[in-house]
Amino acid sequence: SGAGGGGGGGGEAPPPRQAEYGDYVILVTGYASILASALILVISLLIANVRGSASPPSPLLRQVVVATRYLGVMFKVCLLLGLELIIFPTGCGWWLDLCSLQLVDATVSDRVSYLAANPWTAHFLHWLVGVVLMLHICVIVALLREIVRPEVLWFLRNPADPDEHPFRDLIEEPVPKHLRRVALSVLLYMPLTACFVYCPVTLTKMLVPSLLPVHVSLHNPYREVPLEVIIMQITLPFAVEHFRPQDTFKRIIYLWLKMVGDLTGLTHRILPASPDVRAPEDEEDEDEFFSDEDE
C-alpha cells in the first residue's frame, strides 16, 4: 500500500498549459499556408488544362473555373482588407508609439515587455491609435485639397470624388497596384509622424526638459476622471464654435504655402488663382444676406 501510495503521489499529471500568443500565430499561419497552397495547386492545374482553348472542355470544369475565380477574388479582397484595415493601422500605431517614447519617458524594452505580457491588448491599443492617426491625416489632406490646386495631390485618393469606388477597386485592380498604394501610404505616414510628433517632442526635451515626461494618473480614489479632462470637455466645444480653428488653420497653411511659393517661384503651380480659404459658415451667411437683399 505504501508503494502504491508513493506511486500515486509521484504520478500526478502536470497542470495543462495555457495557450499563448505564439500558438495562435502558428495556428493561423499554418491554416493560411495550407489554403494558399491548395489555391495555387488548383489554379495551376486549371491553367494547365485550359491552356490552348478559349473555354473549358466540359461544363463541370467550367463551373470549377468560375468557382476558383470567385475564391481567388474573395481571397484577394480578404488579404487586402486585412492589410489596409488591420496590419497598416497597427503599424502606424507602433510607429507613433516609438516616436513618442520620450514624451512618457519610456523605452523600447518597456514596450517589448508589455507586448510579451499583454499581446492582444497591446495590438488592439496600437491599432486604435493608428486608426485615430489615419483619421487626423485624412482631415489634414482634406484641408489641403481645399487650398492647393487639384493636380498637386493627384497621387492621393480623394474619398469625396464620386468616381472613386474603393470596394470595386479591391476586386478589379491587381494586387501589385494595391501594394504600391500601401507603400506610398507608408512613405507618407512615416515622415509626417516623425515630423509632427518626434521632432516637437525632441525639441521640447532639449529646450524645456522640465515639461517632460508627461504623467497622467487615473488611480485617484477621489476622482475617477481627471480634472483636466473635464475642463477640456467643457471648454473645447465653445472654443471650436467661436474661434473656428479649422478656418484659422487653413489661413495659416495658405500663408505658409504662399510664402514658400514666392521664395521658390512656384506659387502659380501650387495655389489657385483665386483662393478661397474662408469657412463654409461665412459663405452661407453671405448667401442668406444677398438673398434677403434680393427679396
Side-chain angles (χ1 to χ4, degrees):
S1 60
E12 293 181 357
R17 187 179 68 89
Q18 296 182 355
E20 298 180 355
Y21 175 72
D23 300 334
Y24 294 105
V25 173
I26 294 173
L27 183 65
V28 173
T29 305
Y31 279 113
S33 301
I34 294 174
L35 180 60
S37 302
L39 286 175
I40 293 174
L41 178 61
V42 172
I43 293 173
S44 301
L45 292 176
L46 290 175
I47 291 176
N49 292 330
V50 178
R51 180 176 295 177
S53 59
S55 61
S58 64
L60 178 61
L61 189 57
R62 190 181 301 115
Q63 295 297 326
V64 173
V65 169
V66 173
T68 306
R69 289 175 180 173
Y70 281 120
L71 287 175
V73 170
M74 290 178 58
F75 181 74
K76 183 183 78 170
V77 171
C78 293
L79 178 65
L80 294 175
L81 286 178
L83 178 63
E84 296 182 4
L85 299 181
I86 299 178
I87 298 177
F88 183 73
T90 305
C92 290
W94 280 106
W95 176 246
L96 179 61
D97 191 8
L98 293 176
C99 292
S100 60
L101 287 178
Q102 301 181 49
L103 186 65
V104 294
D105 194 19
T107 60
V108 178
S109 59
D110 296 335
R111 294 294 182 261
V112 173
S113 302
Y114 183 76
L115 176 63
N118 307 280
W120 298 108
T121 305
H123 283 309
F124 174 74
L125 291 177
H126 286 86
W127 173 83
L128 187 62
V129 171
V131 170
V132 174
L133 174 66
M134 293 172 62
L135 290 177
H136 280 77
I137 293 182
C138 289
V139 171
I140 295 175
V141 172
L143 289 178
L144 286 176
R145 291 186 187 278
E146 299 178 6
I147 300 173
V148 301
R149 291 178 175 271
E151 58 269 14
V152 175
L153 300 176
W154 62 271
F155 54 91
L156 295 178
R157 179 182 293 178
N158 186 9
D161 189 359
D163 296 331
E164 288 286 344
H165 301 282
F167 290 101
R168 189 181 66 184
D169 295 340
L170 286 176
I171 298 175
E172 296 179 354
E173 293 182 352
V175 176
K177 187 173 183 179
H178 288 283
L179 295 180
R180 288 195 300 267
R181 188 173 295 162
V182 172
L184 179 62
S185 301
V186 171
L187 294 177
L188 174 67
Y189 280 70
M190 290 185 66
L192 284 177
T193 306
C195 179
F196 289 106
V197 178
Y198 179 77
C199 293
V201 171
T202 304
L203 289 176
T204 303
K205 187 174 183 179
M206 293 173 56
L207 300 177
V208 192
S210 60
L211 293 179
L212 298 178
V214 177
H215 296 287
V216 178
S217 178
L218 300 178
H219 302 288
N220 193 334
Y222 297 101
R223 54 178 187 180
E224 292 295 332
V225 181
L227 182 61
E228 296 83 359
V229 176
I230 298 176
I231 295 176
M232 185 184 68
Q233 292 293 331
I234 296 175
T235 58
L236 189 60
F238 294 99
V240 171
E241 181 180 357
H242 292 285
F243 293 101
R244 294 178 180 177
Q246 182 176 357
D247 188 22
T248 305
F249 188 61
K250 288 170 63 176
R251 291 178 185 275
I252 293 174
I253 293 178
Y254 172 76
L255 293 176
W256 181 76
L257 289 176
K258 190 174 186 339
M259 180 184 67
V260 175
D262 292 338
L263 293 176
T264 57
L266 298 175
T267 304
H268 63 287
R269 295 184 179 274
I270 299 176
L271 299 175
S274 57
D276 185 8
V277 294
R278 296 174 300 176
E281 298 176 358
D282 297 341
E283 298 176 358
E284 294 177 0
D285 295 340
E286 289 184 2
D287 294 340
E288 294 178 359
F289 176 74
F290 287 116
S291 62
D292 293 340
E293 282 188 351
D294 295 337
E295 293 177 357

